[in-house]
Amino acid sequence: MPIQKVCVIGAGVMGHGIAQLNAMRGIATLLIDEHEQALQHAKDTIHKNLNISIAKGKFAAELLQKTLDLIDYKTNFDQISDVDLLIEAVPEKMALKKLIFEAADALLPTHALLATNTSSLSVSEIAVCTKRPESVVGLHFFNPPPIMKLLEIVRTEQTSHTSVEMAIAYAAQLQKTHILVNDSPGFATSRLGICLGNEAMRMLEQGVANASDIDQAMVLGYGHPVGPLQLTDIVGLDVRLAISEYLFTKLQNEAFRPPEILKRKVSQGFLGKKSGQGFYAWNQENFEE
Ligand SMILES: NC(=O)c1ccc[n+]([C@@H]2O[C@H](COP(=O)([O-])OP(=O)(O)OC[C@H]3O[C@@H](n4cnc5c(N)ncnc54)[C@H](O)[C@@H]3O)[C@@H](O)[C@H]2O)c1
């Protein structure tokens, strides 16, 4: 059975994009955030981004209202007894994710798949706080979710074959290409991405080149669509710092030690695109996804 109803918890950078993507594929979506303001921002951004896609000829104008109507916005997740799939997209903090999974486990129907969009944290550790670890997977989306082609599926030792099959079928339903990765810190994507991003920051600190030239090295020299510093701005410096700290603790490899420049910028509130300033200044024009 295809997924018919999804609940996304956390309506930030990733949550609103995941909700938009699900609605674009005709899936009823409940988007939850503890802050009313975050929900309003998500609603406005989804509307704006769908209009941009329509203007670019990438989305049919006649589907706009139907797609918007498929998303329901709520500040609590009391009503998830009819949800087939839960996707948690709250900040990269283990304790917070565990709280969400514990609470959702008590409310979801038995057939539901429980997924975390964590970039790096142990999916096994999150799963054990539920009474059904066999139904827990990582579904790692990429930013922006409606556009990026990859879905990284993370399975733990306890994830059942049925749950993996469900996740793979869901990736196809979303028209994404999936990769299947065993649970380990940073999975396949963040582990490699953080290495590159951290080294680019250390090169900036050491005066090897300016931010734009370091990025151009990877864009024009290696064919990356965006450079590692610009990507850090898009992801969020706070998110990248949390991942880097976690990977350094778990893997004890110097490549993952958070660079000083990253720690300093986060403490100053320079979080990248979402705050208007990171390694680059983001004006209203390039704020658009
Ligand atoms: N930013 C990226 O590019 C990116 C990419 C892939 C995966 N991720 C992962 O996705 C997750 C979310 O990251 P993000 O960048 O969207 O974070 P974010 O800070 O932009 O958004 C998180 C949202 O969760 C909400 N929230 C916090 N506590 C909550 C609670 N108890 N109940 C409901 N809502 C709550 C916040 O109000 C906020 O709106 C993280 O695990 C991150 O590692 C991020």
Side-chain angles (χ1 to χ4, degrees):
M1 275 290 284
I3 298 291
Q4 296 189 16
K5 187 164 183 185
V6 165
C7 170
V8 181
I9 304 186
V13 170
M14 291 306 289
H16 86 265
I18 296 169
Q20 179 186 326
L21 167 66
N22 276 277
M24 288 169 81
R25 299 291 179 261
I27 301 170
T29 305
L30 183 56
L31 181 57
I32 312 281
D33 201 287
E34 61 178 358
H35 295 118
E36 192 71 60
Q37 212 184 348
L39 289 175
Q40 191 55 51
H41 182 67
K43 196 172 185 175
D44 295 345
T45 309
I46 290 170
H47 200 159
K48 186 192 76 177
N49 286 343
L50 284 171
N51 275 326
I52 292 171
S53 297
I54 290 167
K56 287 180 177 168
K58 291 182 176 168
F59 191 66
E62 57 272 25
L63 293 179
L64 176 66
Q65 199 52 51
K66 190 178 163 225
T67 305
L68 293 174
D69 290 346
L70 276 171
I71 310 176
D72 203 3
Y73 300 82
K74 289 221 158 35
T75 49
N76 65 67
F77 53 95
D78 297 351
Q79 287 156 24
I80 54 172
S81 60
D82 59 347
V83 159
D84 304 311
L85 167 64
L86 175 117
I87 303 172
E88 164 277 310
V90 299
E92 193 75 338
K93 293 177 186 156
M94 179 58 84
L96 179 58
K97 289 185 188 284
K98 281 183 170 176
L99 276 178
I100 302 274
F101 270 77
E102 235 171 54
D105 184 28
L107 300 169
L108 286 164
T110 49
H111 75 276
L113 185 65
L114 285 74
T116 171
N117 185 48
T118 178
S119 307
S120 62
L121 302 177
S122 165
V123 179
S124 315
E125 198 179 329
I126 295 171
V128 292
C129 70
T130 71
K131 294 189 180 75
R132 43 177 141 178
E134 68 284 357
S135 301
V136 178
V137 290
L139 286 181
H140 188 197
F141 289 85
F142 295 84
N143 187 7
I147 294 171
M148 299 298 281
K149 292 189 169 49
L150 181 66
L151 184 62
E152 186 175 40
I153 299 173
V154 183
R155 66 172 164 213
T156 72
E157 284 180 4
Q158 285 181 282
T159 308
S160 69
H161 182 68
T162 309
S163 298
V164 172
E165 290 298 311
M166 214 169 150
I168 291 174
Y170 175 62
Q173 195 180 349
L174 293 182
Q175 297 162 29
K176 299 289 178 198
T177 299
H178 75 270
I179 56 170
L180 187 56
V181 180
N182 294 320
D183 190 23
S184 76
F187 322 124
T189 50
S190 301
R191 187 159 167 178
L192 287 171
I194 291 290
C195 271
L196 188 65
N198 280 2
E199 199 54 29
M201 289 175 222
R202 280 190 264 273
M203 286 162 63
L204 187 64
E205 278 174 333
Q206 291 163 15
V208 173
N210 66 29
S212 158
D213 284 354
I214 291 170
D215 278 343
Q216 289 286 58
M218 288 295 103
V219 173
L220 299 180
Y222 278 63
H224 291 197
V226 289
L229 297 170
Q230 196 182 350
L231 183 62
T232 303
D233 271 9
I234 293 168
V235 169
L237 275 65
D238 52 339
V239 176
R240 279 272 161 133
L241 177 59
I243 300 169
S244 191
E245 281 169 342
Y246 178 76
L247 292 183
F248 182 57
T249 310
K250 290 287 172 188
L251 299 170
Q252 289 295 307
N253 176 331
E254 279 301 311
F256 299 107
R257 185 189 287 281
E260 288 305 317
I261 192 169
L262 179 62
K263 292 197 275 186
R264 191 168 65 248
K265 279 186 183 288
V266 171
S267 70
Q268 290 167 340
F270 298 141
L271 306 183
K273 185 177 176 183
K274 63 186 166 189
S275 72
Q277 177 75 49
F279 292 100
Y280 296 90
W282 292 82
N283 59 34
Q284 277 309 315
E285 246 167 61
N286 57 19
F287 249 99
E288 290 174 2
E289 287 172 4

